[in-house]
Amino acid sequence: MSPLYDLRINLNGQYTFFLNQDVISKYCGSLRKMIKQSKKKRNKKIKSPEIITIEIEDFPGGPDGFELVARFCYSNGEISIDVSNVSTLYCCSVFLGMTEKLCSSNLLLQTEKFLDEVFYGSWNDIVLCLKNCEQVFLHADSYGLVDKLILSALTKISRNSDAFSSSPSSSFASSHSSEMAKKTPESDKRPVPRTISCGRSNEWWFDDMSNLSSRIILMLIRIIGAYKTNIKSLALTSFLLHYLKTKLQTKSELMRNKLEYSDLADTAVKGVVLAGKAAFSCRKLFWVLRVLSNFSLSQGSHTALETLIGEMLDQATLDDLLISAGGGGGGSRESGFYNVDLVIRLLKVYVKNREEESNMKGIGKLIDKYLREISPDQNLKVSKFLGVAESLPDSARDCFDGVYRAIDIYLQSHPNLSPEDRTKICRCLNYKKLTLESCKQLARNPKIPPDIAIQALKSRCDPNQEHKTEDVKVVSKNVSRSRRHSLEKKPVLLHLKGFEIPTKLAEELKTKSGYNWRVMGSFREGL
């Protein structure tokens, strides 16, 4: 009578199983061979039974998988097989050589029969089997199980939505679909009665597939390309965006499989760029950028996505532009709360693609709002502020009051700014396009350097400049109407009543700039 156990299995260097050689050898061809080899090496003089030790590495499913095999062997070849364990049992049976050569109805045959029913069975069973493959992925992939399950899933999707279009080039997928159609019960040929997650029937499968690992989804993408299965690119892109958005909730998994998710994100960008403006609004593209930037996009993908957004930037809103640092397109909290660098890059793309500068009035107003919004940020540097303000040509703004208000907010929020920086930040102003009221405010603003105030006032009162604002009109008079201007060597600075200018500034205007000073009730007095 054989002892209770005479076989020790060391699994993956961590787990030990004590088993009976005869029981295991009856079903497992690989173990039977290893036991025979070990017996030949034994010392024949030893009469007492010797426990044979066998080392096994990289066993499918680890100790849980081996325990299932042991139960099968000790139950006379019987075990409950279902969609939650069939993938593991199949890989174990292939690994251990549990074929019909050893005994009838061995584990490999039982799992193959069950999988045949799954391939041509219900959608839920296919997805659950794919989920089970994650525990034994390397083996399931090498044995071709993952490929077969994915093709079965794609066939289900094609039959229950228009995500696929017919193509003679998809020969393998077409034949696979035809074979499945023949073997599928009539009860399962009806459209899949599932809740539509995004409001369109093409997306009924998104949530189920989003529960699978990134490795499974990468296999799906590769199979579509390898067999030229003509899935509509927009359907696949929409799924990838849905999948990646779902995976943002599992940060630990993202860190473990960062490279795999990065590949999926790059694939999604290619689909978005291919679909372009016809399928994605500007707001949707900003959402795509926010989501995909969490997955270490390649530089090429970043550039392609930003280029597409930049071309549509005039459709953006202030909320679209207010992307936090690190929330899309790179950026760092150290340089400010908002990702200003991204907006600067988008503006460069927008301006580059506009031949007529007259069409930029709308974007000019939007950027002025953006400047006012980001100005209070304590970490926003003057160079970044100017980078945004100066990204647009001068013709994009009819009036620079909005830029001045943003500068005023910035100066109030940065009281320790050096005189050089206070002067520097004003360089983006076009004083000739300031209204009279804004010019008054600028001249009275104690945080504005006096030299800047002088330049603004000089620009406002230049008789050669025609101001288009409602409150000021300066007209040059010819000599025939009046000889007054020709007799004066110094130009006259007309000063409206109510436009209070500090005495010190007035003196500077007179001494430094050579202006004569005259106060009038209105500009009409000078005509």
Side-chain angles (χ1 to χ4, degrees):
M1 181 178 180
S2 61
L4 185 61
Y5 68 86
D6 53 10
L7 175 64
R8 179 165 55 198
I9 304 292
N10 289 335
L11 200 67
N12 300 336
Q14 294 180 320
Y15 306 95
T16 301
F17 289 84
F18 292 96
L19 306 165
N20 183 273
Q21 296 179 21
D22 294 337
V23 174
I24 295 299
S25 297
K26 181 180 179 181
Y27 299 96
C28 304
S30 298
L31 288 178
R32 176 188 288 188
K33 184 177 181 180
M34 285 187 276
I35 290 171
K36 287 182 179 180
Q37 292 174 348
S38 297
K39 285 182 176 180
K40 289 181 180 179
K41 296 178 182 179
R42 268 194 324 183
N43 189 344
K44 298 181 180 180
K45 295 181 179 179
I46 299 177
K47 296 182 179 179
S48 59
E50 180 183 351
I51 297 177
I52 294 177
T53 301
I54 295 177
E55 303 285 343
I56 300 179
E57 296 292 334
D58 300 323
F59 189 80
D64 294 335
F66 194 85
E67 184 178 349
L68 289 174
V69 171
R71 287 183 181 180
F72 174 83
C73 297
Y74 277 87
S75 300
N76 295 320
E78 294 182 2
I79 192 171
S80 177
I81 301 177
D82 55 43
V83 290
S84 66
N85 65 17
V86 66
S87 298
T88 299
L89 287 172
Y90 173 78
C91 292
C92 291
S93 63
V94 175
F95 188 90
L96 294 175
M98 303 176 73
T99 65
E100 296 301 292
K101 293 181 180 180
L102 303 177
C103 66
S104 61
S105 191
N106 207 344
L107 184 59
L108 179 58
L109 180 62
Q110 292 189 39
T111 55
E112 286 177 338
K113 288 181 177 180
F114 190 93
L115 285 170
D116 280 341
E117 295 178 2
V118 171
F119 295 148
Y120 310 111
S122 70
W123 165 260
N124 287 340
D125 286 351
I126 294 171
V127 174
L128 288 173
C129 280
L130 278 169
K131 186 70 176 175
N132 184 226
C133 282
E134 295 173 4
Q135 302 173 23
V136 289
F137 180 80
L138 293 178
H139 295 89
D141 182 23
S142 63
Y143 301 153
L145 179 57
V146 178
D147 286 22
K148 292 178 181 178
L149 287 169
I150 289 177
L151 283 168
S152 297
L154 292 175
T155 303
K156 289 284 184 183
I157 295 171
S158 67
R159 193 167 60 244
N160 292 284
S161 66
D162 60 354
F164 292 81
S165 57
S166 59
S167 172
S169 63
S170 54
S171 56
F172 188 96
S174 299
S175 61
H176 186 76
S177 178
S178 300
E179 185 180 354
M180 285 190 63
K182 294 176 182 177
K183 296 187 178 182
T184 303
E186 290 297 326
S187 60
D188 192 54
K189 291 183 180 179
R190 299 187 301 270
V192 180
R194 303 192 57 80
T195 302
I196 308 304
S197 61
C198 302
R200 296 191 300 272
S201 60
N202 284 343
E203 299 179 354
W204 60 264
W205 51 282
F206 282 17
D207 285 336
D208 290 333
M209 296 295 280
S210 293
N211 291 323
L212 301 176
S213 69
S214 57
R215 293 187 294 184
I216 300 289
I217 303 304
L218 276 172
M219 287 289 296
L220 181 145
I221 301 298
R222 290 167 185 165
I223 286 174
I224 289 174
Y227 295 117
K228 299 180 181 179
T229 306
N230 195 15
I231 187 171
K232 290 182 179 177
S233 60
L234 184 57
L236 180 59
T237 301
S238 298
F239 165 68
L240 287 177
L241 293 173
H242 179 87
Y243 178 82
L244 292 169
K245 177 177 176 289
T246 302
K247 291 305 175 183
L248 282 178
Q249 302 169 6
T250 55
K251 294 291 185 181
S252 58
E253 184 180 346
L254 290 182
M255 294 306 296
R256 289 196 305 270
N257 303 302
K258 193 172 183 179
L259 181 60
E260 294 171 2
Y261 283 108
S262 177
D263 290 341
L264 288 175
D266 284 334
T267 302
V269 170
K270 292 178 183 177
V272 170
V273 173
L274 182 64
K277 304 172 186 178
F280 291 90
S281 65
C282 186
R283 168 153 290 189
K284 184 68 173 179
L285 288 174
F286 271 105
W287 176 86
V288 170
L289 181 64
R290 283 181 168 93
V291 171
L292 297 188
S293 293
N294 292 280
F295 296 93
S296 302
L297 280 175
S298 66
Q299 185 60 46
S301 293
H302 261 301
T303 302
L305 191 53
E306 289 177 9
T307 299
L308 186 59
I309 297 174
E311 293 171 353
M312 304 170 62
L313 198 60
D314 53 355
Q315 301 175 24
T317 65
L318 181 59
D319 287 340
D320 294 332
L321 299 182
L322 294 175
I323 299 176
S324 61
S332 168
R333 292 277 185 178
E334 297 177 359
S335 60
F337 182 79
Y338 296 108
N339 194 341
V340 177
D341 289 333
L342 170 64
V343 175
I344 293 174
R345 292 197 299 271
L346 295 177
L347 281 169
K348 288 180 179 178
V349 173
Y350 179 81
V351 173
K352 184 179 179 181
N353 285 272
R354 289 296 181 281
E355 295 181 357
E356 297 183 10
E357 296 180 354
S358 60
N359 295 330
M360 298 187 188
K361 307 299 183 183
I363 195 72
K365 294 178 181 178
L366 173 63
I367 294 306
D368 289 354
K369 293 179 183 178
Y370 179 74
L371 285 170
R372 294 197 293 273
E373 194 70 28
I374 65 175
S375 291
D377 185 356
Q378 295 296 312
N379 292 323
L380 181 64
K381 297 180 180 179
V382 172
S383 60
K384 299 296 183 183
F385 182 98
L386 290 172
V388 177
E390 296 178 339
S391 292
L392 292 175
D394 191 76
S395 59
R397 297 180 176 93
D398 289 327
C399 179
F400 271 71
D401 285 14
V403 180
Y404 169 69
R405 282 194 290 271
I407 291 175
D408 186 35
I409 295 171
Y410 187 91
L411 294 176
Q412 291 181 37
S413 304
H414 300 76
N416 299 323
L417 213 60
S418 68
E420 292 79 10
D421 282 339
R422 284 189 285 125
T423 299
K424 183 179 179 181
I425 199 172
C426 292
R427 82 181 188 198
C428 61
L429 281 173
N430 183 338
Y431 308 121
K432 296 177 181 179
K433 288 189 175 183
L434 287 173
T435 61
L436 181 60
E437 184 61 33
S438 293
C439 200
K440 287 182 181 181
Q441 294 176 11
L442 183 149
R444 297 168 183 166
N445 193 333
K447 295 186 179 298
I448 297 291
D451 290 346
I452 298 299
I454 291 172
Q455 292 179 36
L457 291 172
K458 286 172 63 177
S459 298
R460 284 290 307 178
C461 298
D462 186 353
N464 295 320
Q465 173 65 29
E466 294 186 6
H467 299 282
K468 297 182 180 180
T469 52
E470 296 179 358
D471 48 11
V472 177
K473 182 178 181 181
V474 178
V475 180
S476 299
K477 299 177 290 301
N478 56 39
V479 178
S480 62
R481 294 182 58 188
S482 174
R483 297 177 58 84
R484 178 171 46 192
H485 290 289
S486 63
L487 295 175
E488 296 182 10
K489 295 182 179 180
K490 295 182 179 180
V492 178
L493 180 63
L494 304 179
H495 175 196
L496 283 174
K497 286 182 179 179
F499 190 171
E500 301 299 334
I501 298 178
T503 304
K504 183 178 179 181
L505 179 58
E507 290 299 322
E508 289 183 2
L509 283 168
K510 185 175 181 180
T511 57
K512 292 183 179 181
S513 303
Y515 274 84
N516 284 327
W517 195 256
R518 185 180 177 202
V519 180
M520 303 178 298
S522 70
F523 277 111
R524 287 286 182 183
E525 294 181 10
L527 299 177

